[in-house]
Each structure stands twice: as structure tokens, then as C-alpha cells.
Amino acid sequence: MRVVHIAYQQLRRYGKSRVSWARKLTQGLIKNDHFVEVFSDRDVAAFEAPFGIRDLGIGKANKRLLETIDAVEPDLVIAGHCDIISNDTLQEIRRRHPEVVIAHCNNDPLFVPENVERIKHRAAVVDAVFVSTGSRELVIFEGLRARVYHMPNPVDPSIENLDNSIRNDLPIDLLFCSNATAYSKRLESVKWLKEKLDNECNFKIYGSFGEPPVWGREYDRVLAQTKMGLNFNRQEGYYWYSSARMAQLAGNGILQFTHCSNGFDELLPPESLVYFDEQEDLLDRIREFNADNAKRQAWAARAREFFHAEMNSQLFAQYIVEASLQKTFSHDYVWARDIRPDGRTN
């Protein structure tokens, strides 16, 4: 199959890139023997614009995408987070290539009102939409043109290539990385934990409280030293929603603590992630696993094995293709057991 994947490639970061679910999707598609042409809308807009001012290159980026589509003649177009590309352009793609299937992938949370509107906007012109929140929450999109599906955050063995679950020499006991503060009070909990654990463990924080964030190889090096991590979302309580941090920690064999209200105990095997409710409960669980290295290793190993076996980039990409084209699922996707290819739940 021929695929055009519209996804930000972070070319102008020159290697200091963030871990990208979109890159994992591209890699999964290629591993599944699909031809993939990637179109980086933000980079094209900047490269084509006078003086590199991205906003001045929006029109040109849309024209370049149409040129790319005409040249590649894809069977499937996957539009990720590409607000530079207009719905008019997607409709023009369909006019020129009536047989093409167009899907939209959105990895942002539904507690951000602008993102809900963004999804509805895309759903008016595409065939399928994939959202990183569980299907129970997706009823708000019923009645739109597009079929709406849940998608997970995958791991890729070339990216999540560590196995800290087998190591006993890790200097960072607990890790939290984030520089996003909108729609969230999670830093209050992080500060409280830091004060409580200050003399008990090496708790490293990046991107908050004056500590700079880490990207690229710096982030890799931090993960390579870490036993346990906090998977704090900006808001909790959204079914099967987590930032990509969940896959990054689990895939590298780093034990993680995540809130029980997101329902991941219904998706993941027992004794893999550590669930908590209140702050005191979390503090007790951190102390418990920090004092029991064998238990930490066993739980982290179970999570790592599950993610690499059942939530890897190849299965992820295969699912996106099959659901977009309404094909019978060729695998028992653990995150889609209640979903038929037509997008309806069983």
C-alpha cells in the first residue's frame, strides 16, 4: 500500500527532537512493507516562506502537499497534528483522487476544549479519526462524518531500547519530566512528593521548578539511569488516556506510577503499572517499591514485555491501516476488543 503521512518531522530541531508517536507510526508502516512518503507540514511551511517565517509559508505548504499527493498517488493519507494543512486541501485531495482514504490521528487530550473542536473540524472531511483517549469518552463525536476510534501510544524497539528492569545500578530512583502547565495542577503533587522524599531517594525533575527540560540524547541518558517514573497527566480521569510518557517508561523497563481513575487496569496485565488514588497512597507505594528492588524489577519487566509484545509500532500501524480501510482486524488488538472496523463498539 502507498501511504502519505502528514506529520511534523522536527527537522529544524537538528537532532534535539522529542520522542514522537508519529515517527513510530511511520516506522511501523514501513516495517509492515508499506511505501511511506512523509510530508512535514511545519518544516515545509518554514522552508518555503520568505525569511523562514512559517506563517508566511502556509499557503505554499498546502500547494506542496497537493503536489506530493499527485506525484505519489497514495491509497491512504494519514493526517496527524498538521493544523497548517486546511480542510479545503484535504477535500481537494479527495476530489483529485476519489479512491483515496483519509484518516486523522490526534494524540492530544480531550480536556483541552480547543482539541475537541480540532477533532470535530477534521472529522467533517476525513473518513476515520483516531484519538488517544478510550472509546468510552468518544461518544461526544457521534454523528460526525468520520468513524472515530481509540488508538494507544505505542513503543518501538529502536526507540524504547532499554531494559532497566534487569538493572540494579540505576542512580535515579524516581523521575518526572514535563514542562507543560496549562490545564493542570500536577506540579503541586510533584512539589509535595519532592518535599516528602527529599532525604529518602534521588528524585530528579526536569522541565519544572527551574530545571531545564531534556530532549533527544539528553532524555535518553536520563531514562538510562532511572528505576521509577511518575506518569502524571495534566488531568486524570479520562478513560485510557495517558501522555506518551506511559509508553516511554514502560517500554524501557522503568516502573511507573499512574492514577487509577484512567482505567488502565482494564487494559494492562496485573502487577505491571502501580496505580494510586490519593497523594498519601502514592507516597506509600513509592516507598514500598523503592525499598523492594526485586518487586520493582518484576513489575517493570511485566509492563515492558506487554508493551513490546502487544502495543508495538507494527501492530499500531497495522491497526490504523485496517480500521481506516474498514478491513477485518488481522490481530486481536488489546485496545480494540470492543471495536468493530466500522468504528462501532460491540
Side-chain angles (χ1 to χ4, degrees):
M1 178 175 292
R2 300 175 68 79
V3 181
V4 170
H5 186 195
I6 311 167
Y8 179 37
Q9 296 297 290
Q10 307 179 65
L11 299 180
R12 289 164 297 135
R13 288 181 176 270
Y14 300 104
K16 294 181 180 179
S17 57
R18 305 182 185 188
V19 178
S20 169
W21 65 271
R23 174 174 290 182
K24 295 176 187 178
L25 175 54
T26 296
Q27 293 183 186
L29 289 165
I30 293 170
K31 290 175 184 178
N32 290 338
D33 298 329
H34 298 296
F35 173 87
V36 183
E37 182 76 26
V38 178
F39 185 90
S40 185
D41 63 310
R42 299 182 211 177
D43 291 313
V44 171
F47 293 149
E48 292 279 1
F51 310 108
I53 301 172
R54 193 178 73 184
D55 286 352
L56 299 180
I58 290 175
K60 199 64 173 288
N62 280 265
K63 291 179 181 178
R64 292 299 193 195
L65 175 60
L66 291 173
E67 289 179 29
T68 302
I69 297 293
D70 289 343
V72 175
E73 297 182 351
D75 305 290
L76 174 64
V77 173
I78 301 174
H81 293 180
C82 54
D83 290 346
I84 281 176
I85 303 305
S86 70
N87 275 8
D88 288 343
T89 295
L90 296 181
Q91 289 178 307
E92 177 63 15
I93 290 171
R94 193 184 303 284
R95 189 191 69 78
R96 296 186 187 188
H97 304 273
E99 301 302 315
V100 74
V101 174
I102 305 177
H104 169 55
C105 293
N106 188 296
N107 201 49
D108 285 343
L110 299 184
F111 54 74
V112 178
E114 295 87 349
N115 191 50
V116 173
E117 294 308 309
R118 198 174 295 126
I119 292 169
K120 290 179 177 179
H121 178 67
R122 283 298 194 221
V125 299
V126 303
D127 300 297
V129 173
F130 298 87
V131 183
S132 60
T133 302
S135 55
R136 290 183 192 173
E137 309 280 358
L138 304 183
V139 294
I140 60 174
F141 302 116
E142 288 183 354
L144 301 177
R145 180 189 193 280
R147 293 166 273 117
V148 183
Y149 304 84
H150 168 61
M151 69 177 188
N153 275 296
V155 300
D156 187 279
S158 69
I159 298 173
E160 283 78 27
N161 55 15
L162 304 171
D163 188 359
N164 291 9
S165 71
I166 63 174
R167 293 183 56 187
N168 292 309
D169 59 341
L170 299 163
I172 299 175
D173 297 307
L174 187 64
L175 175 70
F176 180 71
C177 295
S178 178
N179 65 343
T181 57
Y183 302 101
S184 182
K185 295 182 179 180
R186 61 184 170 179
L187 290 185
E188 295 176 9
S189 296
V190 174
K191 182 180 179 181
W192 182 84
L193 285 171
K194 181 68 173 175
E195 293 171 353
K196 294 290 184 180
L197 295 167
D198 193 42
N199 297 317
E200 299 180 37
C201 70
N202 183 16
F203 182 8
K204 298 293 290 184
I205 300 169
Y206 294 94
S208 303
F209 306 115
E211 292 291 335
V214 286
W215 312 118
R217 292 298 287 160
E218 285 185 87
Y219 184 54
D220 293 340
R221 281 189 282 270
V222 169
L223 291 180
Q225 301 177 68
T226 298
K227 295 178 184 176
M228 306 183 296
L230 296 175
N231 181 34
F232 280 1
N233 297 305
R234 284 185 288 161
Q235 289 187 26
E236 309 293 358
Y238 285 77
Y239 187 65
W240 286 7
Y241 172 75
S242 172
S243 72
R245 184 187 298 105
M246 174 178 282
Q248 294 163 21
L249 295 174
N252 284 307
I254 299 169
L255 181 72
Q256 65 183 283
F257 302 87
T258 195
H259 203 278
C260 64
S261 63
N262 301 320
F264 282 108
D265 58 321
E266 300 177 26
L267 175 63
L268 303 176
E271 298 185 351
S272 55
L273 272 60
V274 184
Y275 303 103
F276 68 90
D277 188 0
E278 303 297 334
Q279 284 187 153
E280 291 289 349
D281 177 36
L282 172 59
L283 180 61
D284 290 342
R285 298 293 266 167
I286 292 171
R287 285 169 169 163
E288 174 189 351
F289 281 89
N290 194 45
D292 191 338
N293 204 46
K295 190 172 183 179
R296 185 269 302 178
Q297 290 179 296
W299 285 48
R302 194 170 293 112
R304 184 181 186 278
E305 179 182 8
F306 177 81
F307 268 81
H308 279 276
E310 296 294 343
M311 298 177 73
N312 60 63
S313 61
Q314 283 186 259
L315 290 177
F316 174 63
Q318 182 174 287
Y319 165 74
I320 297 294
V321 169
E322 291 175 350
S324 295
L325 274 60
Q326 292 185 278
K327 292 185 175 182
T328 301
F329 290 155
S330 61
H331 182 83
D332 180 21
Y333 303 110
V334 293
W335 63 84
R337 286 172 175 163
D338 64 338
I339 301 174
R340 302 199 305 260
D342 63 4
R344 297 181 182 274
T345 56
N346 296 323

